[in-house]
Amino acid sequence: LRLRLAGYPRKHNEGRVEVFYNEEWGTICDDDFTLGNAHVLCRQLGFVAATGWAHSAKYGKGVGRIWLDNVNCAGNEKSIGDCKHRGWGNSDCSHEEDAGVVCKDERIPGFKDSNVIEVRRLLSWPERAAGDGQDATECPGCGAVWELSLGVQESSTGFPGSWQGVGAWQAPVTGDTSTATGHTGHGSGLLSPHRLFTERQQLNYRLHSVSCTGTEVHLSMCSFEFYRGNSSAACGSGMPAVVSCVPGPLFATGSAHKKKQRQQQQQQGQPRIRLKGGARVGEGRVEVLRSSEWGTICDDRWNLQSASVVCRELGFGSAKEALTGARMGQGTGPIHLNEVQCRGTEKSLWNCPFRNITQEDCKHTEDAAVRCNIPYMGYENLIRLSGGRSRFEGRVEVAVGAGNGDQPRWGLVCGEGWGTLEAMVACRQLGLGFANHGLQETWYWDASNVTEMVMSGVKCAGHEMSLSHCQHHGASLSCRNTGTRFAAGVICSETASDLLLHAPLVQETAYIEDRPLHMLYCAAEENCLASSARLANWPYGHRRLLRFSSQIHNRGRADFRPKAGRHSWVWHECH
């Protein structure tokens, strides 16, 4: 029995429940619905449990049949079809009573979903690969050595449940390492031939003869063989498989990297693909440039192979998730591509087969998005929040002096000049999504014993991955108010609004009007006129005005709320 979550707006772990029965998709009525029903549905969808359910078509009205009504589950059933109900298709409900569920955002280990790959963080070692000139602190794990591990549930797939070493790579070919480095978040890799760490400890081997084509998005999708019996005695003539990864342009630092990036941009011209609407690095709605206009991609047939081509083209690893149903917000403008079908070997999405879009094919509710694997940089260990009511808010504390093996020293950030752009970077570094507010005073969050200011003059462009990448005063601190009450703070949010002005409409509707001054008193009171209007001979004469209509779209996944609270809103009579 196939299930899916549908509706909008929603997150990936919630939605209207739709059931595929008798070759037709239909919904479930909310009569007598319980949390037990939701538990069964969420487990069937691959989530560990339900946290709630929704009635009265909260996620929009479905179409077609209402397959189930008066469903009553004990909570331990394996399928919704095993629960008591009135019978398939026997219902006295309308689609205004469609039921929805909210599942816990945690996958059942080993659950197979063709568009999601769960990747456990791989272990990196502090020693650097021989002959590697890159500073390990710039990109931990990029030039370092990685021990590849594979963790899949034995019960459901036959893979080893424990995390063990991978032995005896079949051949040192770049196909294998493209897959290996892809799901560690790096774009490409080369096998390192030297023996490292073999004497460090007794290694247990589980896999050998690993053979990848290079198009796989995860090592578990390659062919390999198991060692049987005593794993510690295995791989006698071989050694642990070792890779050295090449970081994408975003993850290498220093002037040499910036120079190389500038050269690449000059050679390639304007990029033809980008990610928008994602809170974290390496995720977002996929947008492509065609005929000088940015547009989106329809999610028909959107899968991990196509998503991985996008991720690698942008300098990330392989795709962790191929997202459908505008999960990163709806775009605006044209939908350029549909039914993109990459093999995984392509250098660019434009090399993949696709179908041109027609008006009936897709809507922006079907915009495709990706989450890419990115290298582990450790930036989140250098920042924390204190004093907030939840983990999403608080006074910002940063670690300094941790680069040379010393114990980090935690300190505060000067609130002077701190704004939304700086808060965006802090929330991204914390892994907490978007910034709702950047606060310059945090006296109400005075709950930490950290009192020293260690960073001032922070000025970010908004795209940086760490506050240390923004402009700041460095060791020469300059902060007029050094008290803890003037330390910077943030309020982060998993979702945010994203306003976009409909610029063509402004151009199409703009016109000049000469308006008599006696008709402009209200406009003058509201400061809508230029300052020279004060010198005019009221109420005689006129002002020349530029008039236009405007339309603003919210492309984000949260309602727009003005920065000023309701208490400071003013009603203007003449509007």
Side-chain angles (χ1 to χ4, degrees):
L1 192 65
R2 286 167 57 197
L3 301 178
R4 69 183 182 190
L5 295 176
Y8 190 84
R10 67 181 184 89
K11 294 182 183 177
H12 66 284
N13 56 323
E14 64 179 336
R16 181 178 66 248
V17 180
E18 297 191 350
V19 188
F20 192 67
Y21 179 78
N22 202 20
E23 300 301 311
E24 188 180 346
W25 285 103
T27 61
I28 299 176
C29 181
D30 61 14
D31 289 353
D32 302 329
F33 207 86
T34 65
L35 191 60
N37 298 359
H39 280 311
V40 174
L41 287 163
C42 286
R43 283 200 302 272
Q44 203 171 344
L45 286 159
F47 298 95
V48 294
T51 58
W53 61 278
H55 58 83
S56 306
K58 176 187 173 183
Y59 299 102
K61 292 187 285 187
V63 293
R65 300 287 295 273
I66 299 174
W67 279 125
L68 295 174
D69 190 7
N70 300 112
V71 181
N72 185 8
C73 301
N76 54 3
E77 294 87 350
K78 290 192 174 178
S79 168
I80 194 70
D82 299 336
C83 302
K84 294 177 183 175
H85 54 81
R86 288 179 57 158
W88 289 97
N90 183 11
S91 168
D92 59 359
C93 300
S94 70
H95 280 298
E96 290 179 349
E97 299 169 85
D98 284 343
V101 293
V102 182
C103 303
K104 187 176 181 183
D105 193 5
E106 184 182 336
R107 287 267 167 194
I108 295 172
F111 182 83
K112 290 296 180 187
D113 183 330
S114 62
N115 267 351
V116 180
I117 287 287
E118 299 288 351
V119 182
R120 176 165 164 173
R121 178 80 65 207
L122 301 183
L123 301 173
S124 67
W125 307 101
E127 293 90 335
R128 281 178 289 155
D132 179 12
Q134 180 160 357
D135 184 352
T137 60
E138 288 185 353
C139 179
C142 293
V145 176
W146 292 70
E147 181 176 35
L148 297 177
S149 302
L150 185 64
V152 191
Q153 288 296 308
E154 191 166 12
S155 58
S156 59
T157 63
F159 284 71
S162 59
W163 287 81
Q164 306 287 352
V166 180
W169 219 265
Q170 194 171 54
V173 292
T174 54
D176 295 295
T177 53
S178 292
T179 299
T181 56
H183 75 251
T184 63
H186 298 80
S188 59
L190 296 171
L191 279 181
S192 189
H194 40 270
R195 291 173 180 264
L196 289 176
F197 316 118
T198 50
E199 297 172 6
R200 171 174 52 88
Q201 63 183 46
Q202 183 65 50
L203 295 171
N204 293 319
Y205 293 93
R206 285 283 182 269
L207 307 179
H208 68 97
S209 302
V210 181
S211 179
C212 306
T213 62
T215 61
E216 297 87 352
V217 296
H218 193 271
L219 202 64
S220 63
M221 294 179 171
C222 303
S223 64
F224 48 79
E225 295 179 33
F226 289 107
Y227 280 116
R228 303 293 178 189
N230 185 1
S231 61
S232 61
C235 199
S237 59
M239 63 178 189
V242 176
V243 295
S244 178
C245 302
V246 180
L250 271 177
F251 302 100
T253 55
S255 56
H257 147 64
K258 289 173 183 170
K259 185 179 178 184
K260 186 178 178 184
Q261 205 173 24
R262 275 199 302 270
Q263 288 172 347
Q264 285 177 343
Q265 287 171 350
Q266 287 166 1
Q267 290 167 3
Q268 296 170 358
Q270 187 180 6
R272 297 182 65 199
I273 189 164
R274 67 186 184 186
L275 300 183
K276 286 285 185 180
R280 297 166 185 85
V281 177
E283 69 174 31
R285 179 178 59 253
V286 182
E287 296 191 351
V288 291
L289 184 66
R290 196 177 193 188
S291 305
S292 302
E293 191 172 11
W294 286 100
T296 61
I297 297 175
C298 187
D299 63 11
D300 293 351
R301 299 200 180 188
W302 185 246
N303 61 18
L304 282 167
Q305 274 68 35
S306 300
S308 288
V309 170
V310 170
C311 289
R312 286 175 173 142
E313 185 176 355
L314 291 167
F316 305 114
S318 57
K320 181 163 47 175
E321 215 170 335
L323 304 169
T324 56
R327 290 246 306 272
M328 289 290 174
Q330 297 183 38
T332 55
I335 302 172
H336 284 317
L337 308 179
N338 188 18
E339 295 189 17
V340 179
Q341 296 178 67
C342 302
R343 293 184 300 277
T345 55
E346 297 87 352
K347 296 280 185 194
S348 169
L349 189 76
W350 293 101
N351 300 333
C352 301
F354 61 83
R355 199 160 69 84
N356 285 320
I357 206 81
T358 59
Q359 204 163 4
E360 310 81 51
D361 282 334
C362 290
K363 299 183 177 68
H364 280 299
T365 54
E366 301 168 82
D367 284 344
V370 295
R371 280 199 182 101
C372 306
N373 285 306
I374 64 169
Y376 175 66
M377 306 297 289
Y379 293 141
E380 69 274 18
N381 299 325
L382 304 176
I383 188 171
R384 67 189 185 191
L385 299 182
S386 68
R389 296 163 297 180
S390 73
R391 68 187 187 93
F392 286 92
E393 66 177 32
R395 180 179 284 166
V396 177
E397 296 180 1
V398 293
V400 294
N404 304 318
D406 303 328
Q407 276 293 102
R409 188 172 98 255
W410 288 94
L412 306 174
V413 179
C414 179
E416 206 174 299
W418 182 267
T420 304
L421 292 176
E422 291 71 33
M424 280 170 60
V425 176
C427 291
R428 182 180 299 123
Q429 187 177 352
L430 286 156
L432 296 178
F434 299 98
N436 265 354
H437 296 289
L439 304 163
Q440 296 187 358
E441 285 191 37
T442 53
W443 50 269
Y444 36 83
W445 285 334
D446 207 0
S448 171
N449 57 2
V450 176
T451 57
E452 182 190 3
M453 290 276 182
V454 295
M455 187 181 273
S456 65
V458 180
K459 190 172 168 133
C460 302
H463 56 75
E464 297 89 347
M465 288 185 281
S466 166
L467 285 178
S468 61
H469 297 166
C470 302
Q471 293 180 30
H472 58 90
H473 291 154
S476 309
L477 291 179
S478 174
C479 189
R480 275 182 301 185
N481 301 308
T482 55
T484 55
R485 66 170 291 171
F486 298 106
V490 293
I491 300 176
C492 306
S493 171
E494 285 184 328
T495 58
S497 55
D498 184 11
L499 303 186
L500 181 75
L501 175 69
H502 186 7
L505 183 69
V506 175
Q507 295 173 348
E508 290 163 13
T509 59
Y511 65 97
I512 297 291
E513 180 191 12
D514 287 342
R515 198 165 180 84
L517 280 176
H518 67 83
M519 297 175 68
L520 289 173
Y521 276 107
C522 274
E525 288 172 11
E526 294 179 32
N527 292 320
C528 293
L529 303 180
S531 56
S532 59
R534 294 177 198 149
L535 307 175
N537 185 23
W538 292 81
Y540 308 105
H542 67 273
R543 302 291 294 179
R544 178 159 289 182
L545 308 177
L546 174 65
R547 306 295 301 271
F548 56 88
S549 299
S550 72
Q551 211 176 74
I552 296 172
H553 298 269
N554 182 2
R555 303 190 301 175
R557 289 177 290 152
D559 293 335
F560 170 69
R561 293 181 179 86
K563 194 172 182 180
R566 286 176 182 273
H567 61 279
S568 57
W569 294 2
V570 179
W571 174 257
H572 289 294
E573 291 290 343
C574 45
H575 278 178

